[in-house]
Amino acid sequence: MEEWEQKCLINELLQGRELAMQLQAHLNLPSCNETRELLLQQIQASYDKALSLLHYKATGTSDTIDPPPQSLPVRDAATVQRKSLPRWTHQVRVGPGTAMEGNLDDGFSWRKYGQKDILGAKYPRGYYRCTHRNVQGCLATKQVQRSDGDPTIFDVSYRGRHTCSNNNQEQGTSTIEPYQQQQHIGNQTCPLFPNYLSLNIKVENDVGDGNYETGNLSPTSTCPNPTGVMNNGSTSVAIESEFTEIIQAAPTVGLEFPFGNAGLDPNFTFDDNGFFS
DNA sequence: TTAATTTGACCCTT
DNA sequence: AAGGGTCAAATTAA
């Protein structure tokens, strides 16, 4: 069992390393912000998994995984878990005539599970979750809502990171392979949101009561709202992370560190080096 | 037949 | 109590 964990750990680290290299490659391509962000997400997910493995080893007493502290009712546990997921929002503008939500393909496979009319909003909000939720326990969800001001703009709000392997094409190995392949197709810039005219990501730190059980992990509140520097004139980014409890649910899911954990590196800022540009 | 979407009801949070 | 988010049965698509 120990050996298995170690393999997992190494695997995650290797994957993180490979993803970092991919990211480096993408830094030289001026076109695709979204790919980079996704790579970043994947890197963070790898670190998160690796860390959770270590955390488990560090805190778990010799015999078993810490049992859930007190058997929360299923519903409560789900709620708590939901709360702990990081959240960030994109504003997506699509080309005229192509403005269908279905075109907002970000490389993941989503399954719609609800739609709701929102008070004061002209258009309903669509609720999507990862197709692999049941199979792989992937908790990523997103909400898509068309802006009532400008119907070509969609607010896409993501919650939770993908823990699935996202192998849409049944060809596992590298989880980001599909993106790379698409990238080479023509000069259509961003493969993830081909219809983009602009992309707008918001970052907030909705830290609420701010009781970080993660101790010295500081949220990236120091991150100045990176208004700026995206190539085609768009804008402000807002990633909202919710630091709440850390859940030890399924071991495979493990800790979900919020997006803002990039703040672990004191030298890292979102607006530095035109990170998103 | 299976998978995805639709949609009203229900639950949770504010 | 109101509004937002999720569930799940019914419906539609592949």
Side-chain angles (χ1 to χ4, degrees), chain A residues 89-111:
Chain A
T89 301
H90 295 201
Q91 269 185 6
V92 177
R93 180 180 296 158
V94 299
T98 61
M100 295 309 295
E101 293 166 34
N103 288 335
L104 302 177
D105 182 11
D106 52 10
F108 292 101
S109 51
W110 301 99
R111 177 171 181 159

Side-chain angles (χ1 to χ4, degrees), chain A residues 1-259:
Chain A
M1 211 47 192
E2 192 108 333
E3 206 172 304
W4 179 79
E5 280 171 40
Q6 198 172 356
K7 275 187 181 174
C8 286
L9 185 59
I10 290 172
N11 209 29
E12 286 303 329
L13 290 172
L14 284 174
Q15 189 179 349
R17 182 167 163 271
E18 186 188 332
L19 288 167
M21 288 168 71
Q22 306 273 6
L23 180 57
Q24 187 181 27
H26 278 282
L27 287 177
N28 300 324
L29 303 172
S31 53
C32 191
N33 301 324
E34 195 59 23
T35 299
R36 289 177 205 155
E37 193 192 328
L38 262 152
L39 283 168
L40 179 64
Q41 274 184 52
Q42 309 233 14
I43 292 169
Q44 289 181 319
S46 281
Y47 275 108
D48 291 351
K49 281 188 186 174
L51 283 171
S52 70
L53 281 169
L54 286 173
H55 178 76
Y56 160 66
K57 286 185 75 99
T59 60
T61 49
S62 52
D63 39 7
T64 49
I65 304 174
D66 321 78
Q70 262 153 10
S71 51
L72 291 164
V74 181
R75 194 94 200 182
D76 287 358
T79 300
V80 166
Q81 194 159 33
R82 197 186 315 147
K83 267 190 168 179
S84 73
L85 296 175
R87 194 169 71 187
W88 62 100
T89 301
H90 295 201
Q91 269 185 6
V92 177
R93 180 180 296 158
V94 299
T98 61
M100 295 309 295
E101 293 166 34
N103 288 335
L104 302 177
D105 182 11
D106 52 10
F108 292 101
S109 51
W110 301 99
R111 177 171 181 159
K112 191 170 187 176
Y113 67 89
Q115 177 168 302
K116 192 85 178 173
D117 284 318
I118 299 303
L119 193 76
K122 214 189 239 172
Y123 303 97
R125 177 179 300 166
Y127 298 87
Y128 300 81
R129 66 165 139 251
C130 180
T131 306
H132 310 108
R133 182 188 183 95
N134 295 326
V135 184
Q136 302 184 33
C138 179
L139 294 175
T141 63
K142 76 169 177 181
Q143 300 176 359
V144 178
Q145 180 164 25
R146 187 189 294 221
S147 158
D148 38 328
D150 183 348
T152 65
I153 292 183
F154 289 87
D155 280 334
V156 184
S157 171
Y158 293 88
R159 186 175 295 197
R161 266 193 287 282
H162 284 271
T163 56
C164 63
S165 51
N166 186 36
N167 43 357
N168 299 350
Q169 313 285 345
E170 282 101 39
Q171 38 159 301
T173 62
S174 170
T175 57
I176 57 169
E177 217 163 298
Y179 310 144
Q180 290 177 306
Q181 287 170 355
Q182 289 176 39
Q183 173 112 35
H184 296 311
I185 299 173
N187 50 0
Q188 276 278 352
T189 67
C190 182
L192 303 175
F193 297 89
N195 296 320
Y196 275 20
L197 296 180
S198 66
L199 169 65
N200 199 346
I201 310 171
K202 282 200 303 185
V203 186
E204 305 157 13
N205 274 294
D206 178 24
V207 180
D209 40 348
N211 51 347
Y212 316 128
E213 304 192 1
T214 50
N216 51 12
L217 288 179
S218 67
T220 342
S221 51
T222 56
C223 176
N225 192 11
T227 45
V229 240
M230 303 196 103
N231 25 354
N232 46 9
S234 117
T235 332
S236 71
V237 186
I239 296 173
E240 172 184 314
S241 297
E242 300 191 16
F243 285 64
T244 47
E245 306 86 346
I246 292 186
I247 323 299
Q248 302 244 356
T252 51
V253 176
L255 307 178
E256 268 294 347
F257 285 93
F259 204 72

